[in-house]
Amino acid sequence: MSAPRHVACVMDGNGRWARQRCLPRTAGHRAAEAAVIDVIEAARASGVRWLSLYAFSTENWRRPSDEIDFLMGLVRRTLRKHALSMCARGIRCRFLGVSDPRIPPGLARDIADLVELTRDNRGMTLTVAFDHGGRRDIVEAARALIRDRVPADLVTEESFAEHLPHPDTPDVDLVIRTSGEQRISNFMLWQVAYAEWVFPEVLWPDFRAEHFHECLRAYRNRERRFGDVRSPNPMVKGIR
């Protein structure tokens, strides 16, 4: 059976992972890199065409400044370390958000360079939600419609979606939120409207390919009705 087209991950549990080991929170963020790389490869090998990772939210700017500084440096080192590997694997890298002026200029340049380096790849599309907020995206789409002078009667779900960032991004089929937490947390609010959710108990730094495959199996055992009383195809589960 085919994999979900678009999988999104809320990478939760770094702080608890560190606390369980009597380590600083930054140790949990550092350990998360291995999980990110493992999941990217597992998704690509499973036939997932779109993978979105929630790395840093608009609300995360409220964290202590030393933790934010560490995260910015960690993301920059990770991008530089894996950029050529991502390109060699045919992965197109994009970012959702990245508009706050507090993002260090060097990191902003590295993000732009990675996007440019991989823009023509036609394998899996990896979207990193960084400085992202789902509500902000919806507000910006509404503002764009107003600027374009679109008459109210002509505003449809389709025309609204065309004004969201990366409008070619398909709806999310499966959201994985690690650590057992069960919240949306302002993540891709428009795109997850009909997504299936899985909440593995494992903390993100310990999340690996086998856990990702378990989530895919859970997804395949769901019947997606999209408001109907019957599955679109009673012989097929987990596929639109």
Side-chain angles (χ1 to χ4, degrees), residues 23-225:
L23 297 170
R25 286 177 56 84
T26 52
H29 298 316
R30 187 181 295 110
E33 178 186 345
V36 169
I37 300 306
D38 215 44
V39 166
I40 290 172
E41 184 55 30
R44 189 180 72 91
S46 299
V48 173
R49 299 295 298 173
W50 298 75
L51 176 67
S52 296
L53 303 178
Y54 202 8
F56 191 87
S57 73
T58 51
E59 293 77 18
N60 287 154
W61 289 109
R62 303 170 186 166
R63 293 187 177 186
S65 59
D66 56 345
E67 182 177 351
I68 291 174
D69 291 343
F70 177 86
L71 285 168
M72 296 295 156
L74 177 64
V75 170
R76 189 177 189 192
R77 290 191 297 273
T78 301
L79 294 183
R80 291 188 161 200
K81 180 179 177 180
H82 298 286
L84 293 179
S85 175
M86 293 292 151
C87 191
R89 285 171 168 77
I91 297 172
R92 178 175 59 163
C93 299
R94 302 201 299 196
F95 287 77
L96 186 62
V98 199
S99 62
D100 196 290
R102 288 172 289 185
I103 295 173
L107 175 55
R109 285 194 301 271
D110 287 344
I111 287 173
D113 288 345
L114 178 60
V115 171
E116 180 63 26
L117 176 68
T118 63
R119 66 180 302 173
D120 294 326
N121 288 349
R122 292 296 177 262
M124 184 179 75
T125 295
L126 170 65
T127 301
V128 179
F130 188 80
D131 177 39
H132 162 69
R135 284 184 172 181
R136 183 177 67 183
D137 286 352
I138 290 172
V139 169
E140 288 300 323
R143 288 173 175 168
L145 284 164
I146 293 170
R147 285 194 296 269
D148 290 347
R149 301 180 183 275
V150 178
D153 292 343
L154 297 182
V155 176
T156 63
E157 289 189 13
E158 291 75 18
S159 65
F160 190 93
E162 288 173 358
H163 289 78
L164 288 167
H166 304 312
D168 60 327
T169 302
D171 283 350
V172 176
D173 298 301
L174 170 64
V175 181
I176 301 167
R177 179 163 190 155
T178 56
S179 84
E181 296 291 341
Q182 299 184 16
R183 300 186 301 275
I184 298 176
S185 295
N186 200 21
F187 180 46
M188 299 183 78
L189 295 179
W190 183 274
Q191 296 89 343
V192 304
Y194 289 102
E196 299 292 327
W197 289 73
V198 179
F199 303 102
E201 294 291 332
V202 62
L203 303 177
W204 179 258
D206 292 328
F207 196 79
R208 291 296 183 270
E210 58 267 27
H211 303 110
F212 185 82
H213 293 308
E214 288 173 5
C215 294
L216 294 189
R217 285 193 291 271
Y219 169 84
R220 289 168 177 143
N221 287 327
R222 308 266 181 99
E223 284 194 19
R224 308 186 73 198
R225 297 188 179 93

Side-chain angles (χ1 to χ4, degrees), residues 4-37:
R5 185 183 185 193
H6 187 178
V7 177
C9 297
V10 181
M11 305 182 292
D12 200 2
N14 294 352
R16 274 165 285 171
W17 184 93
R19 187 166 62 248
Q20 289 174 2
R21 292 159 176 79
C22 299
L23 297 170
R25 286 177 56 84
T26 52
H29 298 316
R30 187 181 295 110
E33 178 186 345
V36 169
I37 300 306

